[in-house]
Amino acid sequence: QLKLVESGGGSVQPGGSLRLSCAGSGFGLNYVNIGWFRQAPGKEREGVSCIGGRSPNIDYADSVKGRFTISRDIAKNTVYLQMDSLKPEDTAVYYCAAEQAPSPPTCALLPRYGYWGLGTQVTVSS
């Protein structure tokens, strides 16, 4: 059973940075597509970024392009989300998610992820 645990959230001022981690156990994260999603109070969950398992594709939501970077450390079985130039509208609970194996050949920010972590809070405020 694949288990995902997020960490790295916190409170930062606008313009600051955070790096979120998604540690996997029970299955290699490099074999499945991994996505980062977020949900702000009163809003629907939205896709932020994803990284392909079987392919090297990466995708970002328009709202975070140029500011967020997704990466993967196979040896640590961990996927990261580096968040720079944070804005108050980035405030949300951030979740990592994994598609079931075998994953589609490319990742996408679509509601097709079957494994979810519990989330980590990110607050951007002055």
Side-chain angles (χ1 to χ4, degrees), residues 5-10 19-23 36 78-79 81 94 96 119-120:
V5 178
E6 303 95 336
S7 62
R19 188 178 77 159
L20 305 184
S21 299
C22 172
W36 281 100
T78 299
V79 173
L81 185 68
Y94 284 71
C96 71
T120 185

Side-chain angles (χ1 to χ4, degrees), residues 1 5 10-11 25 30 42 47 53 57 64 66 68 76 79-80 82 86-88 93-94 98 100 106 108 115 122 124:
Q1 182 77 9
V5 178
S11 296
S25 61
N30 56 307
N57 84 293
V64 306
F68 290 12
K76 295 183 178 180
V79 173
Y80 301 99
Q82 176 68 41
L86 283 163
K87 304 175 181 180
V93 178
Y94 284 71
Q100 292 180 323
T106 57
Y115 299 96
V122 171
V124 185

Side-chain angles (χ1 to χ4, degrees), residues 28-112:
L29 297 189
N30 56 307
Y31 293 109
V32 294
N33 299 332
I34 301 296
W36 281 100
F37 293 78
R38 67 186 180 186
Q39 188 166 20
K43 295 187 177 181
E44 293 187 355
R45 186 168 57 195
E46 63 171 342
V48 176
S49 180
C50 68
I51 184 167
R54 294 187 287 157
S55 72
N57 84 293
I58 286 175
D59 196 14
Y60 297 98
D62 288 342
S63 58
V64 306
K65 280 182 181 177
R67 301 189 298 121
F68 290 12
T69 304
I70 193 170
S71 62
R72 177 170 52 208
D73 186 326
I74 295 175
K76 295 183 178 180
N77 206 30
T78 299
V79 173
Y80 301 99
L81 185 68
Q82 176 68 41
M83 306 187 297
D84 299 318
S85 303
L86 283 163
K87 304 175 181 180
E89 51 263 43
D90 295 318
T91 296
V93 178
Y94 284 71
Y95 301 89
C96 71
E99 295 200 66
Q100 292 180 323
S103 294
T106 57
C107 76
L109 300 178
L110 297 173
R112 65 189 197 194

